Amino acid sequence: MANVRLEDIKRRFNNVTAIEDITFEIPDGEFWVLVGPSGCGKSTILRTIAGLETATSGKLLIGDRLMNNIPARQRDVAMVFQNYALYPHMTVAQNIAFGLQMRKVDAKIIQERVVTVARSLSLEHLLERKPKQLSGGQQQRVALGRAIAREPQVFLLDEPLSNLDAQLRDDTRAELKQLHQELGITTVYVTHDQVEAMTLADKIVVLNRGRIQQIGDPQSIYALPANQMVATFLGSPPMNILPAIYKNDGFDIGEQLIQVPAGIQEKLQLRQGQSCNLGIRPEHIYINSDSALSNASRLNWGNPRTALAPQHAAQLPLPLTALLVDVKVVEPLGRETLIRASLPGSIVLLNLQIGGDVRVRTGDRLHTQLDLNHLFVFDSKTGDRIIPN
Ligand code: ATP
């Protein structure tokens, strides 16, 4: 096991700069996830660590060893790809053993290790099968097994779950997390799936257009995204963005004003007339279900994470501000319901997330409340977070 350090790594392909200013250090044994939209440079970073790409400039260290000029096979890293690339003519046992045989490890040790790895991945009963006799999830576990058996210093995983169906993906994700907890091998995992990033990572590196946007643990990044790109990338449904102009007593968003209490206005330090983008997560917009005519007698506050009885709602210490929205689409999911709504007189659409027991219909006009404690303000040109500052 080892730490992995990237110092100012850049990779250029002719006139395309794939990654730039990439600097971070993964401590020994941690699980880091590189996440971002397609083409942001995730795989290029992973392949540079693996030795399958050469950095145009910058330094890569694994442990204390400078790796820039060390060939891939001498780096003691194991990589697992999306297409598992098992040897079709070999059995599961032979596939798992392959890397060890190439290293001329003693046959008895290989056999022991194959059994141990197969047990940890629930593959013992499949050892004599060929890959084509396995399901996609089992094949992916064999690919992981082959990598684990080598006991590398570093694991590099490039979208390893993306070929699996939804259920298998969830199961394998949980297994992967457990496996990492048992083995403690430093791991770099690439995905464009924000759920995988949030659930697996000790630390997430969010990338966009070849540059790091933010590094942090999942909760911190979710709670305090550095900019609008990060804010809208992590979270499902994503954070709502409302273009606004700051005025004396609040934010003008077209036909409505998001009123800001005087105490908060003083802290904002925005110019009069300044355009900005407001950000609010779906779970921080509460609906007063009195406004959903079909459900007048039920809970006052429909948010699942803050499902408060009416008497509590009256005592809420939160600064709230009212907002009218028109319901366009209702998606009941059982425990909760997702709503797509528009602002009256505007093309801006909002995502809301309310308790599954609150009845709302397409066409309803809802009186919502925004929780100003969780309101973000982003620079409308750069996307940088202005508030909280
Ligand atoms: P995806 O999620 O779609 O796999 P990614 O985030 O892994 O994308 P990379 O594959 O690292 O992105 O690519 C980053 C950028 O570098 C892209 O713009 C890509 O087109 C470019 N790129 C990658 N490899 C090459 C290459 N061999 N030649 C030219 N451009 C390349």
Side-chain angles (χ1 to χ4, degrees):
M1 287 182 284
N3 59 333
V4 176
R5 193 156 98 231
L6 284 79
E7 287 179 18
D8 207 8
I9 294 275
K10 177 193 272 193
R11 177 66 169 109
R12 203 180 275 148
F13 297 101
N14 301 319
N15 54 356
V16 177
T17 300
I19 50 172
E20 196 160 23
D21 292 337
I22 303 297
T23 298
F24 57 80
E25 178 165 359
I26 307 177
D28 187 7
E30 289 200 358
F31 195 123
W32 281 38
V33 177
L34 311 182
V35 72
S38 184
C40 69
K42 309 178 288 290
S43 296
T44 303
I45 296 177
L46 203 72
R47 291 168 59 80
T48 304
I49 300 172
L52 304 174
E53 294 287 357
T54 308
T56 308
S57 60
K59 282 189 196 166
L60 167 74
L61 293 99
I62 298 181
D64 291 330
R65 195 167 167 213
L66 186 64
M67 287 287 165
N68 290 48
N69 297 317
I70 306 289
R73 64 183 181 286
Q74 289 173 23
R75 290 193 182 189
D76 200 10
V77 302
M79 190 153 170
V80 178
F81 299 93
Q82 172 182 349
N83 51 344
Y84 355 103
L86 299 176
Y87 298 107
H89 58 288
M90 292 185 188
T91 63
V92 168
Q94 288 165 339
N95 265 286
I96 294 176
F98 184 76
L100 300 172
Q101 275 163 349
M102 295 301 284
R103 284 179 166 69
K104 310 229 180 310
V105 175
D106 181 79
K108 191 157 172 287
I109 295 175
I110 293 180
Q111 202 190 350
E112 282 169 11
R113 218 179 278 171
V114 167
V115 170
T116 312
V117 168
R119 194 175 301 136
S120 70
L121 290 164
S122 309
L123 291 169
E124 307 113 295
H125 60 298
L126 303 172
L127 283 172
E128 294 313 314
R129 289 206 199 165
K130 299 268 174 66
K132 68 171 184 298
Q133 298 168 307
L134 302 174
S135 71
Q138 289 165 339
Q139 290 186 44
Q140 189 56 290
R141 291 215 296 278
V142 177
L144 284 169
R146 188 172 55 187
I148 293 167
R150 285 180 42 198
E151 297 186 350
Q153 291 203 81
V154 180
F155 254 147
L156 303 173
L157 306 175
D158 195 349
E159 308 242 13
L161 308 185
S162 53
N163 280 350
L164 308 182
D165 68 39
Q167 180 64 52
L168 205 51
R169 207 177 158 126
D170 289 353
D171 294 347
T172 315
R173 195 178 67 214
E175 281 168 14
L176 207 57
K177 187 157 187 168
Q178 195 178 349
L179 207 61
H180 177 257
Q181 282 159 4
E182 284 164 18
L183 301 175
I185 296 177
T186 312
T187 302
V188 193
Y189 185 105
V190 158
T191 182
H192 59 266
D193 181 328
Q194 53 95 21
V195 176
E196 276 174 31
M198 294 289 288
T199 51
L200 286 170
D202 290 316
K203 289 267 170 65
I204 295 177
V205 181
V206 187
L207 294 148
N208 197 27
R209 297 185 182 157
R211 288 176 180 269
I212 294 174
Q213 305 296 304
Q214 192 169 6
I215 300 179
D217 64 82
Q219 284 93 341
S220 308
I221 294 192
Y222 186 81
L224 208 54
N227 58 38
Q228 192 173 317
M229 182 267 152
V230 178
T232 50
F233 193 80
L234 291 181
S236 178
M239 183 184 284
N240 295 300
I241 299 294
L242 305 176
I245 294 172
Y246 183 64
K247 298 229 166 118
N248 267 339
D249 39 2
F251 295 98
D252 182 347
I253 55 164
E255 288 186 3
Q256 299 182 74
L257 188 76
I258 294 188
Q259 281 192 319
V260 177
I264 295 187
Q265 281 175 36
E266 287 147 24
K267 295 187 202 149
L268 288 180
Q269 295 185 342
L270 293 169
R271 280 182 281 106
Q272 293 296 317
Q274 182 171 342
S275 17
C276 53
N277 288 334
L278 303 181
I280 183 102
R281 293 208 182 272
E283 64 267 33
H284 296 133
I285 304 177
Y286 313 129
I287 70 159
N288 182 338
S289 59
D290 287 347
S291 67
L293 300 174
S294 50
N295 198 37
S297 62
R298 305 202 60 184
L299 280 180
N300 249 12
W301 300 89
N303 189 283
R305 291 171 213 185
T306 52
L308 301 171
Q311 68 273 20
H312 293 127
Q315 298 160 13
L316 270 179
L318 306 173
L320 296 168
T321 188
L323 187 72
L324 281 181
V325 302
D326 291 330
V327 176
K328 296 290 178 201
V329 181
V330 179
E331 296 180 289
L333 297 176
R335 190 175 63 89
E336 62 190 20
T337 297
L338 304 182
I339 295 176
R340 295 279 280 170
S342 65
L343 298 176
S346 159
I347 54 162
V348 174
L349 287 173
L350 291 170
N351 294 300
L352 279 65
Q353 204 175 1
I354 64 170
D357 56 350
V358 182
R359 302 244 171 230
V360 173
R361 287 177 303 203
T362 303
D364 282 350
R365 174 159 287 187
L366 302 179
H367 294 265
T368 70
Q369 304 273 0
L370 307 192
D371 177 351
L372 293 182
N373 275 331
H374 292 99
L375 186 74
F376 292 86
V377 183
F378 300 106
D379 187 303
S380 52
K381 288 204 181 72
T382 64
D384 290 344
R385 192 188 71 226
I386 304 174
I387 290 160
N389 54 14

